[in-house]
C-alpha cells in the first residue's frame, strides 16, 4: 500500500477503512458537491474508492490507499531478524528501520533482501493525525539475505541513502547532494552489476529526500542519467519493484524535481542574451552521458539523451511553445548526439501541416489563444519530457486491455497542476503498431491515454485521426489536463507473474549449487564404474581391499542419491505443507545416517593405511576383519541418529522461513546438527588428518631413500598415493568444517570442488590408473587388441631370450 500524496490539508484516510468523520455516511458524490471542477483530480474516484474532500490545491497522484496531510515521519526503530548465512544456517541480527515519510514503505538500515530481490519493508501509516509504524504482530519472523555485495549495487545505494538521512540532521550541503547523485550515476553505469527491485525502491527514496532540499540544477543531468539506466533495466526487475510502488514513486519524484527547475534554466532575464556554456555544466553533462542545449536566449534549455530528454521552454522569449521530435534529418531540424532530430514549435503552428511532416515521432505545442489564457492564470514556463518507452510506467494488474505503442510524452506547466485547461492542448504521437504490427492488437480501445499512476486510462482525452487507428502512422490527440501521455492499442495482454521469482541468493550460492550437483553426478558415475568393474572381474572384487572400497562406495552412493534426487527442498516443502513430518524425520535421519556411515568407513580405511605404511612390521589381519569392520561401520552410526530422532525430531523439519527462501530440506539443525553430525564428522576428520600426516611422513622418508638409491620411478607413485589418500580419507571435509565456521567463501568453494568429486577420483585411481583393471577392461572391450599386445610381448620376450643365448655363446 503506497502514498496518495497530494493533499495539503489535515485529512487522513486508511486504505480499506471507512471514512472516519462526521460525514462518513455521505456518498462519494456529496463530498465533491462544493468543489470547483478545476480543483478536482481527474479520475480520482476511478483510481481509489476512498472518498476524499476537495482541497485548494491538488498535486500529482502517487496512487495508494492512504492520504496524508503533512510531512510527518516514522522515526527509526530497532528490529530483529535473521540473515541467511548458508543453505541451512541462519544468523540473528539486530537492525533498525530507517526514518520514513508517512504513507511510504520504510526499509532497514542494514540491507535485508528477500529472494525475489525486494527489500523487507514496513509501512509508515497515518493514524489520528500522527505517523506510526504498522504493527508487526501478524507478520512472520523475517529471514533475509545480505551476502550479495559482489553481484549488485544494493549495499552501496543503501549506504548513500543512510548518508542522506544522517546529512539531514547535519544540514547536508549542496556539494554533498551533488556527490551523492554522481556516485549513484556511476553505480548504474556499471553494467556488470545486477540491478535489483530493492535498488529501484531506494532510488525513489533518495529522490524523495532530494525533493525536500533546495532544488539544484547541477543535479538534473545525473537524475536523468539514473532514470534512463533504470528504464533500460530488466522488465522483470521493474515489475517486481512496482509491487512496492517503487516505479511510481521514482517517476513522481523525478517529475516533481525537474518541474521545479525552469526558473533557474530559462528565466525571463536571459531572453535575447547569449550566455557562454559553463565549463562545469559541460563536464557534468559529459559525465552523465547527456547533451546540453543551452538556448536560454531563445527561451529553451534542453537535456538530451537516447531514452529520456527534458525540454524547458519560456514562451515569453521567442513565442516558442512546443517541441517536435523526428527520426531523420531535414533542413529545419537540429541533430542530437543520441541520433534523433528536433525543432522548436511556435504558438501559431499549423497542426495539419505538422501531422504530415516526414519522420515525426512526437510533438506538442500550446496554441496562441490557450497560452494567453494560461498566462492570465500565472503560467510562465512549459516543461516537456520525452520518454523513449514505457519502462517506468509499470502496471501490476495481471491482465491488461491496452498497452502503450509510442513514446511517452510528459507535459507540465507550473501553476496549472491538477487543473482543467481552458482549451484543449494538442499533442501528436507516432503509432508504433503501424511500423511493427502486433497481431494481438485490435481497433477497440485504440487511442491516446494518460498514466494515472496505476494504469493507462483515456477519459478526458480525445483522439482525432483517420478511419483506422491501428494503422494510422501519426495520431493527433487533445487533452484538458497535464500529465504523461502515450498512444494505446487495444487487445488482451497478460503481465508476467513474477512475485515468486528468485532474483537474489546468498553470495555465490548459485555457483556453489551448480558445482555441488555436477560434482555429485560425476561421483555417482565413478561409483557405478567401480561397482561395474567389481561385478565383471571376480579376481579384483575378491581382494580384501576391494571389499572395503565397495562398502565405502555404497555409503557414498546412498548419501549422494539422497542429497541430489530424494531429499530436495521441493519434496521437503511438500512434506511439511501436508503435515507429513514423520516422513520428513525419516528422510533427514537417513541422510544423517549415510553421512556417518561414510565417515566410519573412511576412518577404517585410514587405520588400515596406517598399518600398511607406518607399522609395517608384525602386522597381522584378524580373521574376518572385513565383516567386523562392516558391523562397526554400519551399526555404530545408528546410535547418534536414533538419539537425535528420539530426543529432538523437530530438528529435522525445516522452518517456515527456510521453506520460504528455498533453503530448507529435511536435515538436522540446531543441536541435532552440532552433536549429531558436525561433532562426529570433525572428530573423524581430525583423526584421519593425523593418520595422513603420519603416512605422508613415512612416504617422504621412503622417498628420500628411493632418491638416494636412484629409484626415481617411485617418486610419481608416492605423490599419486598422497593425493589418493587425501580423497580416500575424506580430508576435503576440513574445508567444509571451516566453511561451517564462516571462515570465508573460499573454503566453501574448496569444499564443493573436492568433497563432491570423491567418488569420481576413486574411480580414476582404482580403475583407470590401475594397470590390472585397465588391461582387464581393454581385454573385455577390445579382445583383438589385447591378443595383439600379448603376441607382441611374447615376441619381445623371445627376442630377448635369443639375444641373451647368443651373447652367452659369444662369450664362451
Amino acid at each position: 500500500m503506497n502514498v496518495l500524496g497530494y493533499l495539503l490539508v489535515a485529512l487522513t484516510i486508511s486504505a480499506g477503512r471507512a471514512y472516519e468523520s462526521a460525514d462518513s455516511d455521505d456518498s462519494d458524490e456529496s463530498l465533491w458537491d462544493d468543489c470547483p471542477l478545476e480543483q478536482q483530480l481527474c479520475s480520482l474516484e476511478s483510481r481509489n474508492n476512498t472518498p476524499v474532500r476537495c482541497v485548494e490545491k491538488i498535486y500529482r497522484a502517487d496512487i495508494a490507499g492512504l492520504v496524508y496531510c503533512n510531512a510527518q515521519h516514522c522515526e527509526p526503530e530497532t528490529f530483529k531478524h535473521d540473515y541467511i548465512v548458508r543453505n541451512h544456517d541462519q544468523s540473528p541480527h539486530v537492525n533498525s528501520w530507517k526514518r520514513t515519510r508517512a504513507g511510504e514503505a520504510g526499509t532497514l538500515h542494514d540491507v535485508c533482501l528477500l529472494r525475489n530481490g525486494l527489500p523487507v519493508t514496513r509501512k509508515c501509516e497515518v493514524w489520528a493525525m500522527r505517523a506510526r509504524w504498522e504493527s508487526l504482530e501478524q507478520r512472520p519472523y523475517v529471514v533475509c539475505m545480505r551476502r550479495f555485495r559482489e553481484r549488485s549495487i544494493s549495499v552501496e545505494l543503501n549506504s548513500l541513502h543512510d548518508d542522506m538521512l544522517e546529512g539531514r540532521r547535519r544540514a547536508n550541503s549542496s556539494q554533498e547532494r551533488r556527490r551523492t547523485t554522481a556516485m549513484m550515476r556511476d553505480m548504474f553505469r556499471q553494467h556488470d552489476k545486477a540491478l535489483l527491485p530493492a535498488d529501484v525502491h531506494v532510488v525513489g527514496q533518495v529522490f524523495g529526500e532530494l525533493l525536500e532540499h533546495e532544488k539544484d540544477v547541477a543535479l538534473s543531468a545525473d537524475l536523468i542519467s539514473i532514470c534512463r539506466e533504470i528504464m533500460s533495466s530488466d522488465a522483470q526487475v521493474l515489475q517486481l519493484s512496482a509491487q512496492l510502488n517503487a516505479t511510481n514513486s521514482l517517476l513522481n519524484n523525478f517529475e516533481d524535481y525537474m518541474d521545479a527547475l525552469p526558473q533557474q534554466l530559462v528565466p525571463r532575464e536571459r531572453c535575447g542574451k547569449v550566455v557562454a556554456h559553463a565549463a562545469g555544466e559541460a563536464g557534468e553533462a559529459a559525465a552523465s552521458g547527456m547533451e546540453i542545449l543551452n538556448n536560454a536566449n531563445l527561451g529553451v534549455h534542453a537535456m538530451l539523451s537516447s531514452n529520456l530528454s527534458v525540454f524547458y521552454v519560456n514562451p515569453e522569449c521567442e513565442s516558442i511553445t512546443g517541441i517536435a521530435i523526428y527520426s531523420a534529418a531535414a533542413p529545419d531540424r537540429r541533430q542530437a548526439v543520441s541520433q534523433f532530430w528536433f525543432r522548436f514549435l511556435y504558438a501559431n503552428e499549423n497542426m495539419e501541416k505538422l501531422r504530415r511532416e516526414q519522420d515525426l515521432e512526437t510533438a506538442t505545442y500550446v496554441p496562441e489563444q490557450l497560452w494567453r489564457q494560461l498566462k492570465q492564470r500565472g503560467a510562465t514556463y512549459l516543461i516537456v519530457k520525452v520518454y523513449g518507452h514505457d519502462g517506468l510506467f509499470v502496471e501490476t494488474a495481471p491482465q491488461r486491455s491496452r498497452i502503450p505503442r509510442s513514446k511517452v510524452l510528459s507535459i507540465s506547466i507550473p501553476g496549472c497542476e491538477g487543473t482543467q485547461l481552458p482549451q484543449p492542448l494538442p499533442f501528436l504521437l507516432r503509432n508504433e503498431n503501424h511500423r511493427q504490427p502486433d497481431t494481438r492488437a485490435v481497433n477497440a480501445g485504440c487511442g491516446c491515454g494518460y498514466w494515472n499512476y496505476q494504469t493507462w486510462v483515456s477519459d478526458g482525452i480525445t483522439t482525432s485521426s483517420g478511419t483506422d487507428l491501428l494503422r494510422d502512422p501519426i495520431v493527433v490527440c487533445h487533452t484538458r489536463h497535464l500529465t504523461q501521455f502515450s498512444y494505446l492499442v487495444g487487445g488482451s495482454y497478460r503481465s508476467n507473474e513474477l512475485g515468486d521469482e528468485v532474483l537474489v541468493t546468498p553470495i555465490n550460492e548459485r555457483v556453489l549449487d551448480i558445482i555441488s550437483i555436477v560434482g555429485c553426478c560425476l561421483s555417482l558415475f565413478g561409483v557405478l564404474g567401480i561397482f561395474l568393474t567389481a561385478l565383471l572381474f571376480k579376481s579384483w572384487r575378491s581382494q580384501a581391499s576391494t571389499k572395503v572400497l565397495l562398502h565405502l562406495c555404497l555409503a557414498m552412493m546412498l548419501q549422494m542419491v539422497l542429497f541430489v534426487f530424494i531429499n530436495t527442498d521441493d519434496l521437503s516443502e511438500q512434506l511439511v505443507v501436508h503435515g507429513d513430518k514423520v516422513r520428513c524425520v525419516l528422510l533427514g535421519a537417513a541422510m544423517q545416517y549415510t553421512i556417518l556411515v561414510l565417515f566410519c568407513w573412511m576412518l577404517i580405511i585410514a587405520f588400515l593405511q596406517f598399518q600398511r605404511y607406518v607399522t609395517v612390521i608384525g602386522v597381522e589381519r584378524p580373521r574376518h576383519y572385513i565383516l567386523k569392520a562392516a558391523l562397526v561401520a554400519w551399526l555404530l552410526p545408528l546410535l547418534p541418529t536414533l538419539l537425535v530422532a528420539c530426543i529432538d525430531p523437530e530438528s529435522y523439519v525445516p522452518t517456515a522461513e527456510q521453506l520460504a527462501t528455498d533453503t530448507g530440506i529435511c536435515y538436522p539443525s540446531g543441536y541435532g546438527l552440532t552433536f549429531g553430525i558436525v561433532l562426529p564428522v570433525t572428530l573423524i576428520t581430525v583423526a584421519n588428518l593425523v593418520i595422513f600426516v603420519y603416512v605422508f611422513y613415512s612416504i617422504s622418508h621412503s622417498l628420500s631413500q628411493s632418491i638416494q638409491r636412484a629409484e626415481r620411478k617411485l617418486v610419481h607413485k608416492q605423490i599419486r598415493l598422497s593425493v589418493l589418500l587425501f580423497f580416500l580419507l575424506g580430508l576435503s571435509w576440513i574445508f567444509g568444517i571451516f566453511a561451517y565456521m564462516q571462515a570465508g567463501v573460499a573454503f566453501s568453494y574448496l569444499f564443493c570442488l573436492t568433497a563432491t568429486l570423491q567418488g569420481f577420483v576413486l574411480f580414476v585411481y582404482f580403475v583407470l590408473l590401475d594397470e590390472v583393471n585397465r588391461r582387464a577392461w581393454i581385454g573385455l572391450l577390445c579382445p583383438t587388441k589385447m591378443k595383439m599386445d600379448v603376441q607382441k610381448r611374447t615376441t619381445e620376450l623371445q627376442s630377448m631370450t635369443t639375444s641373451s643365448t647368443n651373447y652367452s655363446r659369444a662369450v664362451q
Side-chain angles (χ1 to χ4, degrees):
M1 193 168 59
N2 300 300
V3 181
L4 177 61
Y6 307 73
L7 309 180
L8 302 180
V9 295
L11 174 66
T12 58
I13 303 174
S14 290
R17 199 178 284 127
Y19 185 71
E20 299 178 351
S21 71
D23 302 321
S24 58
D25 293 333
D26 294 343
S27 65
D28 292 358
E29 290 77 6
S30 65
L31 295 173
W32 293 95
D33 286 345
D34 300 327
C35 300
L37 181 63
E38 64 270 14
Q39 291 180 334
Q40 298 179 15
L41 182 64
C42 298
S43 302
L44 179 62
E45 291 174 282
S46 68
R47 287 175 275 146
N48 189 345
N49 292 325
T50 307
V52 182
R53 293 185 181 278
C54 62
V55 292
E56 183 176 346
K57 188 176 182 181
I58 301 178
Y59 288 90
R60 182 186 292 107
D62 192 16
I63 303 309
L66 187 64
V67 179
Y68 68 95
C69 59
N70 52 33
Q72 297 183 81
H73 290 77
C74 293
E75 297 302 323
E77 183 177 294
T78 301
F79 179 68
K80 296 181 180 179
H81 63 88
D82 278 2
Y83 274 131
I84 297 175
V85 180
R86 286 174 303 278
N87 274 350
H88 310 292
D89 193 18
Q90 299 171 9
S91 174
H93 183 73
V94 178
N95 213 327
S96 63
W97 297 104
K98 297 180 185 179
R99 186 174 185 266
T100 304
R101 283 188 294 274
E104 293 189 353
T107 54
L108 288 162
H109 180 272
D110 299 327
V111 178
C112 186
L113 291 187
L114 302 175
R115 281 297 179 104
N116 58 7
L118 289 171
V120 173
T121 60
R122 187 180 183 186
K123 186 71 175 193
C124 178
E125 299 177 329
V126 176
W127 180 258
M129 309 297 293
R130 297 178 64 86
R132 70 172 189 181
W133 290 110
E134 70 169 328
S135 173
L136 297 176
E137 292 180 0
Q138 304 300 322
R139 200 167 184 175
Y141 191 72
V142 172
V143 179
C144 58
M145 286 156 288
R146 63 178 174 182
R147 300 185 67 185
F148 49 85
R149 292 174 176 79
E150 298 167 2
R151 298 187 57 249
S152 75
I153 60 175
S154 301
V155 172
E156 291 85 352
L157 269 179
N158 191 65
S159 298
L160 285 179
H161 186 221
D162 287 344
D163 292 342
M164 290 198 70
L165 295 177
E166 289 296 323
R168 172 187 293 278
R169 303 190 186 108
R170 303 190 307 268
N172 94 32
S173 67
S174 60
Q175 289 298 326
E176 290 177 339
R177 294 194 294 276
R178 291 178 186 180
R179 185 167 56 250
T180 296
T181 56
M183 292 176 66
M184 289 176 60
R185 173 200 69 207
D186 293 339
M187 288 179 192
F188 280 97
R189 297 179 76 176
Q190 299 174 23
H191 297 295
D192 58 325
K193 298 292 183 71
L195 179 70
L196 301 177
D199 304 333
V200 182
H201 180 69
V202 173
V203 172
Q205 290 180 311
V206 172
F207 280 22
E209 291 295 324
L210 293 174
L211 274 173
E212 297 188 10
H213 295 275
E214 182 181 356
K215 309 305 178 292
D216 186 356
V217 171
L219 305 184
S220 57
D222 289 340
L223 300 185
I224 294 174
S225 178
I226 292 167
C227 285
R228 182 188 64 204
E229 295 296 334
I230 293 177
M231 283 175 61
S232 303
S233 61
D234 191 279
Q236 181 185 38
V237 172
L238 294 176
Q239 189 170 354
L240 280 167
S241 67
Q243 295 181 12
L244 291 177
N245 206 43
T247 49
N248 279 338
S249 176
L250 172 63
L251 180 65
N252 184 60
N253 292 336
F254 170 74
E255 292 261 352
D256 284 348
Y257 199 96
M258 302 306 289
D259 288 353
L261 301 177
Q263 192 170 0
Q264 302 179 53
L265 294 171
V266 285
R268 186 170 185 177
E269 296 76 24
R270 292 191 188 178
C271 291
K273 298 178 182 179
V274 178
V275 180
H277 291 267
E281 182 182 41
E284 291 167 1
S288 302
M290 304 288 301
E291 179 185 0
I292 300 297
L293 174 69
N294 190 349
N295 287 148
N297 58 314
L298 302 178
V300 178
H301 186 100
M303 304 174 189
L304 311 175
S305 71
S306 55
N307 276 340
L308 178 56
S309 299
V310 182
F311 296 85
Y312 294 93
V313 179
N314 185 342
E316 295 302 307
C317 294
E318 295 290 338
S319 295
I320 297 173
T321 63
I323 298 293
I325 305 295
Y326 302 88
S327 59
D332 60 341
R333 301 171 189 173
R334 303 189 183 197
Q335 182 177 4
V337 175
S338 302
Q339 293 304 307
F340 66 86
W341 289 259
F342 64 94
R343 73 177 181 92
F344 305 142
L345 302 181
Y346 295 86
N348 59 354
E349 203 74 35
N350 184 297
M351 171 63 69
E352 188 58 30
K353 181 180 177 181
L354 178 62
R355 186 181 69 84
R356 290 197 302 266
E357 288 189 10
Q358 292 292 321
D359 307 308
L360 180 67
E361 293 293 319
T362 185
T364 187
Y365 70 97
V366 182
E368 188 173 2
Q369 184 177 359
L370 174 58
W371 181 248
R372 282 200 302 267
Q373 293 176 311
L374 292 177
K375 280 177 61 179
Q376 294 174 2
R377 297 187 180 185
T380 308
Y381 308 103
L382 169 71
I383 303 106
V384 177
K385 308 175 195 72
V386 182
Y387 297 86
H389 52 79
D390 64 329
L392 288 179
F393 303 83
V394 184
E395 298 186 56
T396 56
Q399 193 74 27
R400 295 181 292 168
S401 59
R402 293 189 296 180
I403 61 171
R405 288 303 308 272
S406 73
K407 297 184 185 302
V408 179
L409 185 66
S410 173
I411 308 171
S412 304
I413 301 178
C416 298
E417 301 93 342
T419 64
Q420 290 279 0
L421 300 177
Q423 290 185 19
L425 184 148
F427 60 94
L428 298 86
L429 297 167
R430 174 164 290 278
N431 176 8
E432 292 294 340
N433 197 70
H434 174 267
R435 190 153 32 192
Q436 296 177 337
D438 186 343
T439 56
R440 298 171 296 175
V442 295
N443 255 311
C446 289
C448 294
Y450 69 92
W451 180 248
N452 69 358
Y453 286 82
Q454 189 176 37
T455 188
W456 292 97
V457 292
S458 58
D459 50 296
I461 308 294
T462 59
T463 303
S464 53
S465 184
T467 56
D468 193 343
L469 285 175
L470 270 180
R471 293 176 176 82
D472 285 341
I474 298 296
V475 181
V476 180
C477 303
H478 293 81
T479 179
R480 280 185 173 267
H481 65 275
L482 303 177
T483 181
Q484 302 96 0
F485 305 95
S486 185
Y487 172 70
L488 310 174
V489 297
S492 180
Y493 305 93
R494 185 168 182 80
S495 301
N496 293 327
E497 298 177 357
L498 303 173
D500 297 327
E501 289 293 314
V502 176
L503 299 184
V504 182
T505 57
I507 185 171
N508 303 308
E509 180 184 306
R510 194 172 301 172
V511 178
L512 293 174
D513 284 345
I514 294 173
I515 292 173
S516 298
I517 292 174
V518 172
C520 287
C521 291
L522 286 173
S523 282
L524 283 173
F525 170 79
V527 168
L528 291 175
I530 291 173
F531 278 119
L532 185 60
T533 304
L535 180 66
L536 295 175
F537 308 114
K538 181 179 179 181
S539 59
W540 186 63
R541 71 170 180 266
S542 61
Q543 299 175 17
S545 58
T546 303
K547 294 177 180 178
V548 174
L549 177 64
L550 292 176
H551 279 283
L552 175 71
C553 290
L554 178 60
M556 190 185 308
M557 183 178 68
L558 293 175
Q559 176 214 340
M560 291 187 175
V561 168
L562 282 170
F563 175 72
V564 177
F565 301 109
I566 299 178
N567 195 5
T568 62
D569 53 0
D570 292 334
L571 177 60
S572 300
E573 183 175 3
Q574 291 179 11
L575 294 177
V576 174
V577 169
H578 293 92
D580 196 353
K581 293 185 178 181
V582 174
R583 287 182 60 190
C584 187
V585 171
L586 292 175
L587 197 59
M591 188 92 169
Q592 176 188 3
Y593 172 73
T594 56
I595 291 175
L596 295 179
V597 169
L598 176 65
F599 272 86
C600 283
W601 276 111
M602 288 192 293
L603 180 62
I604 291 171
I605 291 174
F607 177 72
L608 295 176
Q609 297 303 314
F610 179 80
Q611 287 186 325
R612 178 179 179 183
Y613 289 101
V614 181
T615 57
V616 181
I617 301 174
V619 175
E620 291 185 7
R621 305 289 189 199
R623 294 184 61 187
H624 308 298
Y625 77 95
I626 294 179
L627 176 61
K628 295 176 181 178
L631 291 174
V632 172
W634 290 102
L635 295 180
L636 184 61
L638 288 174
L639 180 61
T641 303
L642 292 175
L643 285 175
V644 175
C646 294
I647 296 175
D648 189 14
E650 287 295 323
S651 66
Y652 291 99
V653 181
T655 63
E657 291 76 21
Q658 288 175 321
L659 294 176
T661 53
D662 295 330
T663 60
I665 62 172
C666 297
Y667 193 74
S669 60
Y671 289 117
L673 176 64
T674 302
F675 295 104
I677 294 181
V678 175
L679 181 60
V681 165
T682 302
L683 293 176
I684 293 175
T685 303
V686 170
N688 286 357
L689 178 62
V690 173
I691 293 174
F692 176 79
V693 171
Y694 270 103
V695 171
F696 188 77
Y697 173 78
S698 178
I699 292 173
S700 301
H701 183 68
S702 301
L703 186 62
S704 62
Q705 293 180 351
S706 299
I707 293 174
Q708 291 173 3
R709 297 170 186 169
E711 297 176 359
R712 297 189 178 274
K713 289 185 178 180
L714 290 176
V715 174
H716 180 66
K717 286 187 176 181
Q718 302 293 352
I719 295 175
R720 197 170 72 180
L721 180 61
S722 299
V723 176
L724 171 62
L725 287 177
F726 178 82
F727 284 94
L728 191 61
L729 304 186
L731 297 181
S732 56
W733 281 73
I734 295 174
F735 303 136
I737 294 172
F738 280 109
Y740 177 81
M741 297 167 62
Q742 302 183 30
V745 70
F747 289 103
S748 298
Y749 273 98
L750 289 172
F751 175 67
C752 291
L753 285 168
T754 54
T756 58
L757 289 173
Q758 186 178 15
F760 183 74
V761 171
L762 295 182
F763 171 73
V764 171
Y765 271 85
F766 286 102
V767 177
L768 298 183
L769 297 182
D770 185 89
E771 185 176 359
V772 175
N773 286 332
R774 190 169 64 248
R775 288 185 179 279
W777 273 107
I778 293 174
L780 180 66
L781 300 176
C782 302
T784 305
K785 186 177 182 302
M786 189 65 181
K787 290 179 180 179
M788 292 176 61
D789 289 343
V790 171
Q791 291 175 359
K792 182 178 179 182
R793 281 196 295 273
T794 303
T795 303
E796 290 175 353
L797 183 60
Q798 290 175 350
S799 176
M800 291 174 62
T801 305
T802 303
S803 299
S804 177
T805 304
N806 293 336
Y807 177 76
S808 299
R809 290 175 179 175
V811 171
Q812 292 176 358

